[in-house]
Amino acid sequence: MVDSWRILAAALLTLAGATAPGAGPAVPAKAHARPAWTGSWEAAPSGTASAVPGATIRNVVHLSVGGRVLRVRLSNRLGTAPLRLGAVTVALRRADGPDAVPGTMRTATFDGAPTVTVPPGRDLVTDPVPLAAPAAADLLVTVRTPTAAGPATYHRTALQTGYVAPGDDGDAVAADEDGGAYPVATSHWYYVTGVDVRGPAAGSVVAFGDSLTDGTCTTPDANRRWPDRLAERLRALPPRHRPGVLNAGIAGNRLLREGTGPGALTRLDDDALARAGVRALIVLEGINDIIKGTPQSGDVPAFEDAYRTIVARAHARGIRVVGATLTPFGGHGTFTAARETVREQVNAFIRTSGAFDAVADFDAAVRDPDRPRRILPAYDCGDHLHFDDEGARALADSVDLAALLRRTPSATPVPRTAVRRSTRHAVRDEKMRRIFRMPRFHTARAVDN
């Protein structure tokens, strides 16, 4: 335990002093330096839906970390026609509906203009929006599409109610603090793919995966996906050492080929590596390749090559990679002994190959000790593949924070004077425990390089 606290102390101080990936040697920050952007929320584009010309869509997003200024990422990545945005607004949400907190409504601009056209296949980022938003706040991101003609890029499994003003009432409805103009509910996120903040947060962590990461089976409108639970754990850190958590899960996504949404290797840059301030990546991908029963699903070397490719591409940007073992699916309609053998072989690679910087043993955290091919009943939402709220919590709790936040060996070295490692006396470890008020770690049963 002492070693864990020493590692965490060093990791936190390293995050505070490290440069962005590829930016060169670290230098002391000036007192007036502008904080870097940090990713606070994400929804990876998973497909398209019919466009709704003249509609105004009020998306509700839940921030992991806060800041004094923010910016919004909007996507036409999967669209086939130019997307005209007539108005985009941002506000803090009041209570549980579409109403904004009075006085917090802001109009987002693009190079100073309130409207913009997004080409097909592209994402755009708004200008900085001066809105102080605390950690764990709900944000209203409202998008007006007056002439939308092509399919709308969206995230299908939001598990969050959004709101639509269907009438062609003009762009002003996007700025309404009163949500009375939004009578129609939606279960998807439209066009919005991320929120970045400027504040004290120390970079971000991306959870990269499929429906298990997307939150299928967890309680809607409650933010109980395992990345949400991980963000709760990290909020025990002081704000200046607290990373944001980005959920890049897509239900139905696959590692080895295209599934729902672009395949993992296709979308890795856009949905993970190129996001703001990314310091670490947790990879939970592959179970859909196994349960689909296609020829590639039984090709264990193909899994190994894909994982090594993800790690190499992340390391090229100085990003640490944590491999998560694939969780049980015994009792699911797709289960066979042959597919279970593949899962066990893939997990053996994740645990023992040394390909990853660290391992989160999700399999060990949620399996039934009496029937290890199955999820523990208390964590099983009923389909024997996905997790209920407590199962999602168990996944998040099994992530070793010290291993997650440690600087990756391939990143730019930080001068020893900037790190000031707490390694001399056990009393310092106790002091760190009191300062950060951290719970004891749940150590993964895995190889940690």
Side-chain angles (χ1 to χ4, degrees), residues 70-74 88 90 108 110 124-127 129 139 141 192-196:
L70 56 84
R71 65 184 184 185
V72 178
R73 294 171 179 256
L74 298 153
V88 177
V90 184
F110 304 84
L124 286 184
V125 179
T126 68
D127 298 331
V129 178
L139 204 65
V141 180
V192 181
T193 186
V195 177
D196 305 328

Side-chain angles (χ1 to χ4, degrees), residues 249-273:
I250 296 177
N253 202 233
R254 298 177 66 173
L255 177 68
L256 302 181
R257 59 174 58 184
E258 303 298 299
T260 301
L265 296 179
T266 302
R267 70 188 186 93
L268 179 64
D269 283 348
D270 288 335
D271 290 344
L273 306 185

Side-chain angles (χ1 to χ4, degrees), residues 197-236:
V197 297
R198 270 193 186 140
S204 56
V205 172
V206 177
F208 190 74
D210 48 42
S211 59
L212 304 179
T213 299
D214 208 2
T216 298
C217 266
T218 58
T219 303
D221 295 318
N223 302 302
R224 292 179 181 171
R225 313 164 191 84
W226 76 258
D228 297 318
R229 298 295 198 179
L230 179 61
E232 290 177 9
R233 290 186 66 202
L234 290 168
R235 280 197 286 274

